[in-house]
Amino acid sequence: MLVIALVAIAGAGAFAVVASNRVKGSAAQTAAAYFDAWRRGNVSAMERLVFQPPADFSVRHRKLSDDLGVVSLQLTPGQLRSTGEQAAEVPFSGVRKLSELGDWPFDSVLRLAVRERAWKVLWAPETLHPLLKDGGTLALEEVETSAAELVTSEGDRIPNDSYADAYLEPLKPEFEQVNYGWTLVSKLPGRPATTLLRRDPEAKVERTTLSRSVQAAAARALDGTEDSTMIVIRPSTGEILALADRLGENYSAVRDVFPPGSVFKAITAAALIQGGLDPADQVGCPGTYTIPFHRPFGNDGEVDRGVVTFTDAFAFSCNTTFVEQATTRLTGQDLTRTANEWGFGRPIATGIGGTCGTVPETDELDMLGADAIGQGEVVSTPLCMAALAAAVQSGTWRSPRLLSEAQVRRIDGTPHADVQMDEGVVTALRDMMTATVDYGTASDAGLPEGAAGKTGTAEVEGETSHAWFIGYRDDLAFCVFVRHGGSGRSAAVPIAARFFNGL
């Protein structure tokens, strides 16, 4: 019996030793559980399967996902393979989807071993991603936003030497805040950074109303003429097709005002026609005219044309005619009211700002006479004069704009509403501006058939006069201005002729 008892005790002890040496689970089970927890983002469950996980195990996993903008993770384990009596590994592939860069595939290895009588994951940073080995880091970095590019209405680049940069460059910040780019960067101590993925910011392209061909023709027409500008508007829409500005001393063709000289006679003529003067009426055009008991005025060179039609007086730019008719038929209030109907006295919402000009009311006859021929206190921007020419061509005053209507409202506010002009006045002005080119002050200057316009020479005390020419042809209206350029016929009209020849 004693022998049997001893044998039984010995057998029980041997079983206890065998039982105590059993390994919990298997490598395959542990690997499957780890991958399942990783897919579900259960970092705590992953950590329990790791042998001696680092204190920041959870932090590392969550920080990598947060820093890189990981929105999903796919894991595909390979075949388990033994690497020793109590060691194994599982190669696997993965795809992290990054919110900014899309799918980012990687390959790694999950290593396992028996520790404390259980199969455990032997975790290292490279388990998370191979590039984290040896102190490597991964970072998502923002790519500096590229400058906005303003292009023509056709989507082309603005022509070189367009003389429009002073207006376009300040506009670019309005369109730079939208697009960003990103790069995924790997960094290893002592080595240059490596770009793994990259998404450049989409080019921020904003179409202006500028026409490539019209802008190029206007710019080339100004070549060789300092202190000059040419603005071209599409009368049917108000779009600025060309804005070529070579004005010196930081002057602006859309914001700075100058005496308009005889181009303002278009406004005075409109007021006189509204007041009952017919374009065919006979009027005097003496070399000089003195307002009774007031100051004298003279034509250029004091040329005496005798009695002419009002249309001819306009075509030949008779100062004396306009002074006499304005001071006998109009008040200062009449002239100001008509000017305001044609755009004066208001800001212009172009997308780059702008204004028209002013015609202050006057009760003084000498000042009214001077205002009637674009001298006195009358001032205007070249932009305003281009809009005036466009209104004559189309019959509607439209607020000129350089950007889309939506962008103009966003940047400059709501533009002034379209203004339908008096049909009889518009018809008369068209005939008078046509006569100016056919046989008046702009004749025989190389302008194409169908062009109409008005020249202007604005006197500047102590300095050379400003030269103006406004007009239109088909759906193109324009203003040419040469600061201190001399006469409109000699300095401004040739620029318009070069412009049309260059289209």
Side-chain angles (χ1 to χ4, degrees), residues 192-213:
T194 302
T195 298
L196 306 175
L197 295 175
R198 181 180 180 95
R199 177 173 67 79
D200 289 320
E202 294 180 12
K204 180 59 184 176
V205 175
E206 183 68 25
R207 293 189 185 224
T208 66
T209 60
L210 298 177
S211 160
R212 190 182 193 286
S213 59

Side-chain angles (χ1 to χ4, degrees), residues 238-378:
E239 295 168 294
I240 299 174
L241 303 182
L243 179 50
D245 190 344
R246 299 195 68 195
L247 293 178
E249 301 178 25
N250 205 33
Y251 278 102
S252 164
V254 304
R255 290 182 289 273
D256 289 319
V257 293
F258 309 90
S262 291
V263 292
F264 185 76
K265 287 173 181 170
I267 298 293
T268 307
L272 289 168
I273 293 166
Q274 280 183 314
L277 184 61
D278 191 277
D281 284 348
Q282 298 290 305
V283 293
C285 178
T288 61
Y289 172 76
T290 300
I291 302 173
F293 308 108
H294 289 274
R295 59 163 287 197
F297 291 84
N299 291 332
D300 183 26
E302 297 190 358
V303 174
D304 186 342
R305 297 189 179 276
V307 177
V308 297
T309 65
F310 184 45
T311 294
D312 287 352
F314 183 94
F316 292 116
S317 203
C318 291
N319 289 338
T320 55
T321 303
F322 276 80
V323 171
E324 179 181 11
Q325 297 301 320
T327 55
T328 57
R329 292 173 176 267
L330 302 175
T331 65
Q333 186 178 22
D334 293 332
L335 190 62
T336 299
R337 183 180 61 250
T338 302
N340 290 346
E341 290 174 358
W342 288 82
F344 280 75
R346 68 182 64 144
I348 300 179
T350 61
I352 53 172
T355 188
C356 193
T358 56
V359 183
E361 284 188 25
T362 181
D363 293 327
E364 211 282 312
L365 283 182
D366 285 344
M367 185 59 69
L368 177 57
D371 287 348
I373 58 173
Q375 299 287 166
E377 295 180 323
V378 175

